[in-house]
């Protein structure tokens, strides 16, 4: 699926690896999380092969605490991942509201541990 098939709506965050957008996939009328990898990584000659191998492995993971990967690709030197859009924000958003109560922290750690 071409990168142009996704309409970027808002930037959700940025990390060392890339930028994540809330995007719309008109063909399926759904919002997705679209991660566009920074160009400095895509320029590496072995990147596309490693990226595809890792994306295929991630796409096979099925667990309630792991966000599913729908699609991936490299187009005109731009690598991207398409994942389920999850409401609720990031862990950083949750922690910015203040310390978690012990029970909430315990549930979060259990979910992460189960996914690993």
């Amino acid at each position: 699926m071409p990168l142009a098939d996704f309409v970027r709506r808002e930037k959700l965050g940025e990390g060392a690896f890339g930028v994540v957008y809330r995007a719309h996939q008109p063909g399926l009328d759904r919002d997705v999380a679209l991660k566009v990898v920074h160009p400095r990584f895509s320029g590496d000659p072995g990147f596309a092969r490693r990226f595809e191998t890792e994306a295929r492995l991630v796409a096979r993971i099925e667990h309630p605490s792991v966000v599913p990967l729908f699609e991936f690709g490299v187009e005109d030197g731009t690598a991207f991942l398409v994942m389920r859009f999850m409401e609720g924000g990031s862990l950083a958003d949750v922690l910015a509201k203040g310390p978690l109560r012990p029970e909430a922290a315990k549930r979060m750690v259990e979910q992460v541990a189960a996914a690993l």
Side-chain angles (χ1 to χ4, degrees), residues 6-85:
F6 300 94
V7 179
R8 295 178 202 183
R9 291 201 165 154
E10 65 186 277
K11 181 177 173 180
L12 299 174
E14 183 169 1
F17 193 65
V19 181
V20 180
Y21 299 92
R22 180 179 189 157
H24 189 71
Q25 186 178 10
L28 293 175
D29 192 26
R30 68 177 174 185
D31 282 356
V32 296
L34 174 65
K35 184 170 195 172
V36 179
V37 177
H38 289 306
R40 67 180 172 268
F41 295 108
S42 301
D44 178 337
F47 173 81
R49 180 180 39 77
R50 289 190 314 273
F51 178 75
E52 182 174 336
T53 299
E54 290 181 23
R56 289 183 188 281
L57 289 171
V58 169
R60 293 190 343 217
I61 298 172
E62 291 188 30
H63 189 279
S65 295
V66 176
V67 178
L69 177 66
F70 293 148
E71 186 68 48
F72 68 92
V74 178
E75 187 176 304
D76 297 327
T78 301
F80 63 95
L81 301 163
V82 181
M83 299 159 284
R84 176 177 290 148
F85 176 75

Side-chain angles (χ1 to χ4, degrees), residues 99-110:
L100 293 173
R101 291 191 305 252
E103 188 57 36
K106 178 180 178 275
R107 271 194 316 277
M108 195 172 293
V109 169
E110 287 173 345

